[in-house]
Amino acid sequence: MNETTEAGWEVVIGLEIHAQLATRSKIFSGSATAYGAAPNSQANLVDLGYPGVLPVLNREAVRMAVKFGLATGSTVAERSVFARKNYFYPDLPKGYQISQYERPIVEDGSLEIMLDDGTKKTIGITRAHLEEDAGKSLHEGLKNASGIDLNRAGTPLLEIVSEPDLRSAKEAIAYLKKVHTLVRYLEICDGNMQEGSFRCDANVSVRRFGAAKFGTRCEIKNVNSFRFVEKAINYEVARQIDVLEGGGTIRQETRLYDSAKDETRSMRSKEEANDYRYFPDPDLLPVVLEPAFIETVRATLPELPDEKAARFIRDYALSAYDAAVLTSSRELASFYESVVAAAGGAASAKLAANWVMGDFSGALNRDGLEIAGARVTAEGLAGLMARIQDNTISGKIAKDVFELMWADRATADAVIEANGLRQITDTSAIEAAIDAVLAANPGQLAEYRSGKDRLFGFFVGQSMKATQGKANPAQLNELLKKKLDNP
Amino acid sequence: MTIHTRSVAELAAGLARKEFSAVELAEHFLARIERSNSALNAYVTVTPERALADARAADEARARGAAGPLTGVPLAHKDIFCTDGVRTACGSKMLENFVAPYDATVVERLHAAGTVMLGKTNMDEFAMGSSNETSHFGPVRNPWDLDRVPGGSSGGSAAVVAARLAPVATGTDTGGSIRQPAALVGISGIKPTYGRVSRYGMIAFASSLDQAGIMAPSAEDCALLLQAMAGFDARDSTSVDRPVPDYVAELGAPLQGVRIGLLKEFFAHGLEGPTATLVQAAIDEYRRLGAEIVEVSCPSLPLSVPTYYVVAPAECSSNLSRFDGVRFGHRCKDPRDLMDLYKRSRGEGFGAEVKRRIMTGTYVLSAGYYDAYYLKAQKCRSLISADFKRAFAEVDLLLGPTSPSPAFAIGAKVDDPITMYLNDIYTIGANLAGLPAMSIPCGFDGALPVGLQLIGPHFGESRLLSAAHAYQGVTDFHRRIPAAYA
Amino acid sequence: MSLTRKDVEGIAHLARLEITDAEMSVYTDSLSKILSFVEQLGAADTGSIEPMAHPLEGESQRLRPDEVTETDQHEKYQSNAPAVASALYVVPKVIE
């Protein structure tokens, strides 16, 4: 579906991303934040909202928020304020969430996304604020009851709120991926959507093209993968257009995405209008950041994805697309640069890009491995590339060599030697193979010579097969052409 | 000289010269509690085993030569402070069966100083009240007249000290909850500067106003105990990291040349009769002691009661949301669903005044009313605070009454919240501005004690205590004990 | 400010308090009186005054080092809980 032009409707999307900050301890207590611990084993008195206990702010959470602010060109507030958002819910122990309301720590930044046609678009970041996560309600194994696990309660979150600048599900995904890449570059969030450390709510509305005002929006919650975010938005857009074209009106509400049914539905628990009664939290003082503190954080910023991609294009003559793929994570970019360095520098950059993005990434995906667990090292891959470049093996054979290297954690040379894969460059040996093929296929030879040019490919294949694929392809082509055309 | 009529300083001296042991002292007070508590209803929990264990430890420490100035001194804690392994009910049905799994910082520090915990004292429910009549455990009676209130919310602590069922007790003060009951039972009480004493483990009523303090016979006793309680606590973000002066050593500071301000607004209207006369006599006493008396004005002070009754309920409505019947506290029987669990658990667990304040606070924070009520009150709070700041540019201390009248009859004001709230008219200002303040006895209206209030600038506890100490050097009101408990 | 019974029912719902019919009229009356009483603040001239959220000016939030200082004590903490199963706090079914 082409959302933006669907029957004259314009789609308007804003995202609220919740990134769990990768601190060791919680935002207001000394409990661990590790994922998957036994229920309530990481919920201390502060996380449980026990009477009398008080919050104390984690410095690292503040530092991480500042990092994000600096990386998005935002204003980092020298003075920000924590507020209480009051509502009752069993996974919210105190009956209020400590968040930031009127004075967030980060405001007014932006990120640039690349659209399908290669053009760039700037997406505004309204704000990013610190808050605490809630616990979890579990429903399995209990009859008409829920069980509350408060291990996650108090985990630091950075809520990143975009401007309603996104005009399609595709743009939303591009932006979401951009933020996802950035937070991992900054090492402030592990980005694990499965475990919920990177979550997204989408505010979606539609309006007639040219309309001055935004339509009524719905907030879609609980979308935990890039694919589902896209599907949920597309479903919601279609639903809203259906309602409006049917003469109905959109009710502002919170909707839940059900991935099994691929639909959004109204959330019963959020039906009543909320009145959160925000007010400054009297247990916490204003967070005052000295310019010197902000500068020390700035000094720790890594090269950011956009800067790195620009450098790859400039130094390695990569296409914008390749540069974007290779800088999609800090680890991948770093691996790529190690391969280039081991392969002798920029001259091998394009070949390295092809291998890293192709067979190497493919093998990682297939085996479900991270770069740290890869079975071929950067030096190993560079070694393989060297054998291609010095004509020891062909590019085609190299793919087989790579697979064997991956399987045995072996070097390219060892695999080539052990399997006799060295390329045949001896002219007489190649000619002998060609002669045998021509002799064995007189019919095809006659047809070729009577003008059926496209049989050339057949002879290439047969000859290559006769050398077990080891013949130097360029040489083979040349010799074959000569023999076919000059009987 | 009987043991229990002595001040904390005198008891500490007795322990130091081994006139009696900590165990003997604890047993003496436990026996007095046994005899008199049922009539006063001042303790809600008595902890004899804990007291004797603490006392034995104190005696052992002394034998080792490891005793400090408070080692072996018995005390009572207001039941708002969490005590590990001991029920902490906060005057509420909500927490009737709540056993805190940890010690409040105040409890921890006083325990580390060697004090002996006798028990937990009755209080207005969640410290919301000025008469101790909102307690789920029934009203506390004033030792000077059992038909009258002891004030509140630290009414139990006030009564145990006045009747010498403990030589000293902790209290908390959000709008006068230490000073007003201290005045109504004729003892000394200090509310320190906001941030001077950790709030960690003190069940919150209104977080920006709550402050822990001490209720004791004399200012010297307050100094001794405050010394052990005060100081930075990393677990309380609002606790201030600033050295604690030697309050005891500074008690003897002379009053000569000290400028004491009389707040025009305190004396303007409403203050009459014996309370006015006794406060005037105290002023004369201070003049004789060498202080310079001047009149000052805080024109915004009349806003303090309405400001307080927006700010405090707003904070309390949020602070008390954690009592939802899920992790601790009262839970209704057989909840139909989640909403029923919340509403009935809270409806049953909280008393009428607490519910009234939660609803007031909910309203003033709600959409459409926040600016007109809450934000306006926060601005008025700024005005009041600025007024005090200006006043303290001119004077060292402010002086006035603590309470508009002496102890009133139990039941006299329960039906009219506004009249009840106006009891705090002289005390609330110090909480809004975060200032340290004391109440000390300054005479009797018939058989009932009357309190004198002193207010200092931020972190001015030393001057406050020494001024109170000087007055107590030339008066004996603080030494008087109701006949039935002498 | 004079509150209606309906207003008070709304506030009680927001605060999750069950109020009996008999109590309702008492609260309607006393809350109205309290609001009228505090409305005298409206007359105060607070034009350019900054609201005050903390009694001590100039203090700022202290930051804690990112260290895990807690150990698992859920059994102790859950001894106060009205209903627990498999270390989870049990509540009537949560409907999302």
Side-chain angles (χ1 to χ4, degrees):
Chain A
M1 169 166 78
N2 186 349
E3 309 87 359
T4 52
T5 56
E6 170 99 356
W9 293 95
E10 184 183 32
V11 177
V12 176
I13 303 162
L15 295 187
E16 288 171 19
I17 297 168
H18 288 90
Q20 268 185 14
L21 296 177
T23 55
R24 283 190 286 272
S25 65
K26 292 187 177 175
I27 183 167
F28 298 120
S29 87
S31 298
T33 54
Y35 180 81
N40 290 307
S41 63
Q42 290 179 172
N44 82 338
L45 295 169
V46 173
D47 312 321
L48 294 171
Y50 248 76
V53 297
L54 297 166
V56 186
L57 183 58
N58 186 333
R59 170 190 301 273
E60 194 59 18
V62 172
R63 216 180 59 78
M64 289 178 170
V66 171
K67 252 178 139 177
F68 180 82
L70 294 174
T72 51
S74 306
T75 304
V76 175
E78 285 182 27
R79 188 182 174 88
S80 62
V81 172
F82 281 97
R84 294 183 182 181
K85 178 181 182 179
N86 294 283
Y87 66 97
F88 287 89
Y89 211 66
D91 65 12
L92 186 70
K94 297 183 296 296
Y96 59 85
Q97 179 193 30
I98 305 178
S99 182
Q100 295 188 309
Y101 186 55
E102 286 179 335
R103 318 263 316 245
I105 188 161
V106 167
E107 272 184 294
D108 197 18
S110 65
L111 279 176
E112 211 172 51
I113 59 169
M114 201 194 289
L115 306 181
D116 278 352
D117 62 5
T119 58
K120 288 180 173 173
K121 179 171 177 178
T122 299
I123 307 300
I125 292 172
T126 315
R127 58 187 278 157
H129 65 255
L130 285 166
E131 62 183 23
E132 56 179 346
D133 209 343
K136 283 181 183 166
S137 305
L138 307 169
H139 312 296
E140 279 159 38
L142 291 162
K143 202 180 167 205
N144 291 323
S146 298
I148 310 299
D149 175 8
L150 295 169
N151 279 349
R152 200 180 66 180
T155 300
L157 293 178
L158 187 67
E159 178 172 335
I160 304 157
V161 182
S162 84
E163 288 288 306
D165 287 345
L166 302 158
R167 289 293 173 271
S168 69
K170 282 205 159 53
E171 286 187 21
I173 298 305
Y175 166 77
L176 189 61
K177 285 190 169 160
K178 191 88 188 188
V179 175
H180 188 250
T181 299
L182 181 62
V183 295
R184 285 176 306 135
Y185 258 72
L186 297 172
E187 294 176 326
I188 63 174
C189 172
D190 68 17
N192 191 325
M193 297 180 87
Q194 214 68 61
E195 292 176 1
S197 15
F198 189 83
R199 318 195 284 270
C200 168
D201 300 337
N203 286 302
V204 178
S205 67
V206 298
R207 62 175 168 185
R208 290 282 182 194
F209 270 111
K213 282 170 62 181
F214 289 138
T216 305
R217 65 189 160 87
C218 292
E219 183 178 7
I220 315 170
K221 285 205 177 287
N222 195 34
V223 256
N224 61 359
S225 80
F226 292 116
R227 197 162 62 90
F228 290 157
V229 172
E230 185 165 5
K231 293 178 93 162
I233 291 173
N234 283 334
Y235 175 88
E236 181 59 19
V237 165
R239 185 190 74 84
Q240 291 187 12
I241 291 173
D242 268 2
V243 169
L244 292 169
E245 289 190 339
T249 51
I250 300 297
R251 193 163 59 112
Q252 184 165 346
E253 62 182 348
T254 303
R255 299 179 68 87
L256 195 70
Y257 179 66
D258 182 336
S259 57
K261 293 181 180 158
D262 187 22
E263 62 176 34
T264 65
R265 62 183 144 80
S266 192
M267 277 178 89
R268 281 172 63 189
S269 60
K270 307 267 179 178
E271 263 175 17
E272 71 179 74
N274 274 309
D275 184 346
Y276 291 123
R277 288 159 284 138
Y278 281 100
F279 74 107
D281 191 333
D283 288 333
L284 291 160
L285 297 165
V287 179
V288 176
L289 300 179
E290 304 293 338
F293 174 83
I294 296 174
E295 287 317 305
T296 60
V297 177
R298 194 191 300 278
T300 68
L301 284 182
E303 184 182 32
L304 298 175
D306 286 351
E307 296 164 7
K308 205 183 274 287
R311 180 166 61 80
F312 281 14
I313 292 169
R314 189 177 65 238
D315 293 357
Y316 302 138
L318 297 183
S319 69
Y321 176 82
D322 286 0
V325 171
L326 289 170
T327 55
S328 64
S329 85
R330 217 167 147 175
E331 294 76 18
L332 186 64
S334 157
F335 182 83
Y336 169 72
E337 293 209 85
S338 301
V339 174
V340 173
S348 305
K350 179 61 190 163
L351 186 61
N354 291 344
W355 276 96
V356 170
M357 290 162 62
D359 295 66
F360 178 78
S361 292
L364 284 178
N365 281 342
R366 182 190 64 215
D367 295 355
L369 295 174
E370 300 293 326
I371 286 181
R375 300 174 63 85
V376 170
T377 62
E379 291 72 25
L381 193 53
L384 175 63
M385 285 161 49
R387 295 294 84 83
I388 300 168
Q389 286 162 322
D390 69 8
N391 284 328
T392 304
I393 55 172
S394 68
K396 188 167 180 304
I397 288 288
K399 287 180 174 295
D400 299 333
V401 174
F402 177 83
E403 287 307 325
L404 291 166
M405 290 169 70
W406 187 270
D408 299 337
R409 292 185 185 277
T411 63
D413 289 340
V415 168
I416 291 165
E417 281 313 313
N419 298 280
L421 295 174
R422 188 173 289 275
Q423 186 164 259
I424 300 168
T425 50
D426 174 358
T427 307
S428 58
I430 297 172
E431 278 179 336
I434 292 171
D435 289 342
V437 168
L438 297 184
N441 298 284
Q444 281 87 343
L445 183 62
E447 282 182 57
Y448 178 86
R449 287 188 173 146
S450 64
K452 241 182 170 180
D453 284 1
R454 59 186 172 81
L455 275 169
F456 185 74
F458 166 79
F459 289 110
V460 171
Q462 292 298 312
S463 306
M464 196 52 102
K465 198 173 166 188
T467 64
Q468 288 105 50
K470 289 187 284 186
N472 178 297
Q475 263 180 296
L476 185 136
N477 269 352
E478 194 189 346
L479 292 169
L480 182 62
K481 189 102 179 128
K482 214 184 282 172
K483 283 192 183 287
L484 284 171
D485 295 346
N486 307 297
Chain B
M1 192 183 189
T2 38
I3 291 182
H4 58 265
T5 56
R6 302 185 199 186
S7 70
V8 175
E10 289 159 353
L11 289 174
L15 284 162
R17 60 175 180 264
K18 300 193 177 153
E19 185 187 338
F20 38 77
S21 70
V23 169
E24 285 164 343
L25 194 56
E27 281 170 342
H28 179 80
F29 278 100
L30 288 169
R32 287 181 64 79
I33 294 168
E34 178 74 29
R35 197 158 57 242
S36 303
N37 188 52
S38 57
L40 291 171
N41 196 30
Y43 279 96
V44 285
T45 304
V46 183
T47 54
E49 291 87 5
R50 167 76 182 266
L52 293 172
D54 285 353
R56 277 191 294 274
D59 285 335
E60 282 161 20
R62 191 170 301 283
R64 283 201 307 277
L70 291 175
T71 300
V73 170
L75 61 69
H77 281 299
K78 185 177 181 179
D79 206 20
I80 199 168
F81 291 102
C82 285
T83 40
D84 195 354
V86 176
R87 182 181 72 162
T88 301
C90 214
S92 183
K93 179 180 176 180
M94 182 58 84
L95 293 178
E96 197 167 10
N97 299 308
F98 177 74
V99 178
Y102 73 109
D103 275 335
T105 298
V106 161
V107 172
E108 193 179 88
R109 289 193 177 176
L110 288 173
H111 188 249
T115 64
V116 171
M117 181 169 98
L118 296 169
K120 309 286 295 283
T121 62
N122 202 347
M123 55 183 282
D124 278 302
E125 185 178 8
F126 285 103
M128 296 174 204
S130 308
S131 67
N132 226 296
E133 293 167 288
T134 73
S135 170
H136 171 63
F137 303 96
V140 176
R141 292 170 184 277
N142 190 321
W144 293 93
D145 179 345
L146 296 183
D147 292 328
R148 291 179 186 265
V149 304
S153 66
S154 311
S157 288
V160 302
V161 174
R164 300 302 194 265
L165 304 191
V168 59
T170 54
T172 62
D173 191 317
T174 305
S177 281
I178 286 175
R179 292 160 286 157
Q180 183 255 16
L184 268 48
V185 303
I187 61 169
S188 306
I190 183 165
K191 175 203 101 72
T193 308
Y194 183 85
R196 180 75 290 182
V197 176
S198 170
R199 293 188 297 116
Y200 185 81
M202 197 173 112
I203 298 178
F205 159 18
S207 313
S208 77
L209 301 161
D210 295 345
Q211 182 61 201
I214 277 295
M215 306 173 83
S218 71
E220 182 184 18
D221 298 342
C222 290
L224 265 169
L225 272 292
L226 185 59
Q227 198 74 56
M229 286 164 73
F232 174 68
D233 179 7
R235 291 173 296 191
D236 174 3
S237 297
T238 62
S239 136
V240 177
D241 193 356
R242 183 185 167 118
V244 179
D246 189 336
Y247 299 125
V248 180
E250 293 175 18
L251 274 174
L255 270 171
Q256 204 64 44
V258 171
R259 287 169 69 86
I260 294 181
L262 306 181
L263 274 176
K264 209 169 83 184
E265 290 72 20
F266 276 4
F267 295 90
H269 43 82
L271 185 67
E272 49 198 21
T275 298
T277 312
L278 292 167
V279 170
Q280 192 52 55
I283 294 166
D284 295 341
E285 196 65 69
Y286 270 106
R287 201 175 275 122
R288 277 195 292 280
L289 286 164
E292 186 186 340
I293 307 290
V294 296
E295 192 177 82
V296 290
S297 172
C298 287
S300 300
L301 209 53
L303 298 173
S304 60
V305 179
T307 297
Y308 177 87
Y309 279 96
V310 172
V311 173
E315 293 183 11
C316 106
S317 72
S318 177
N319 282 335
L320 269 58
S321 291
R322 68 191 63 208
F323 301 104
D324 59 2
V326 177
R327 296 163 316 287
F328 41 74
H330 177 75
R331 177 180 213 152
C332 68
K333 279 211 164 47
D334 306 321
R336 290 188 306 278
D337 54 29
L338 203 52
M339 188 60 80
D340 188 44
L341 168 77
Y342 285 149
K343 288 192 173 177
R344 276 201 293 135
S345 298
R346 291 167 58 78
E348 295 164 6
F350 293 136
E353 181 60 24
V354 170
K355 283 188 267 199
R356 183 171 11 250
R357 297 208 195 180
I358 290 175
M359 286 194 281
T360 305
T362 302
Y363 185 79
V364 300
L365 289 175
S366 64
Y369 301 100
Y370 180 90
D371 286 0
Y373 292 95
Y374 181 76
L375 198 63
K376 184 75 183 180
Q378 295 289 59
K379 289 177 179 174
C380 291
R381 192 174 177 182
S382 286
L383 290 177
I384 294 163
S385 186
D387 275 4
F388 274 113
K389 203 170 174 183
R390 271 191 297 275
F392 283 115
E394 291 177 43
V395 299
D396 301 306
L397 290 174
L398 293 168
L399 179 151
T402 305
S403 174
S405 66
F408 47 91
I410 291 174
K413 298 184 180 180
V414 283
D415 293 331
D416 183 356
I418 304 290
T419 308
M420 190 66 100
Y421 294 174
L422 288 169
N423 273 306
D424 306 329
I425 191 161
Y426 302 125
T427 47
I428 277 173
N431 298 85
L432 290 171
L435 302 169
M438 283 194 81
S439 179
I440 53 173
C442 68
F444 286 81
D445 175 356
L448 300 171
V450 169
L452 176 76
Q453 186 180 205
L454 297 166
I455 305 174
H458 288 142
F459 300 99
E461 283 84 358
S462 281
R463 173 65 56 71
L464 210 53
L465 289 161
S466 63
H469 185 65
Y471 177 80
Q472 291 182 339
V474 295
T475 57
D476 74 341
F477 306 117
H478 63 292
R479 294 201 162 269
R480 309 228 188 135
I481 298 172
Y485 307 95
Chain C
M1 183 71 172
S2 189
L3 296 176
T4 64
R5 190 189 173 91
K6 197 159 171 291
D7 293 331
V8 178
E9 283 169 356
I11 300 165
H13 174 70
L14 204 49
R16 300 294 186 267
L17 291 170
E18 183 171 82
I19 305 291
T20 64
D21 279 353
E23 290 172 325
M24 193 55 82
S25 54
V26 177
Y27 283 123
T28 304
D29 177 58
S30 63
L31 290 174
S32 296
K33 281 186 181 151
I34 291 166
L35 292 174
S36 302
F37 172 70
V38 301
E39 271 158 23
Q40 60 182 286
L41 296 179
D45 179 8
T46 52
S48 59
I49 306 295
E50 279 290 305
M52 175 176 166
H54 286 283
L56 299 178
E57 291 162 67
E59 295 286 327
S60 61
Q61 180 59 37
R62 193 171 52 253
L63 303 176
R64 172 179 66 79
D66 180 26
E67 285 161 8
V68 175
T69 54
E70 300 291 318
T71 53
D72 177 13
Q73 297 202 52
H74 74 274
E75 282 178 17
K76 182 174 188 184
Y77 299 159
Q78 291 185 337
S79 61
N80 280 306
V84 168
S86 312
L88 298 168
Y89 294 95
V90 178
V91 297
K93 197 163 188 66
V94 177
I95 299 157
E96 285 179 353

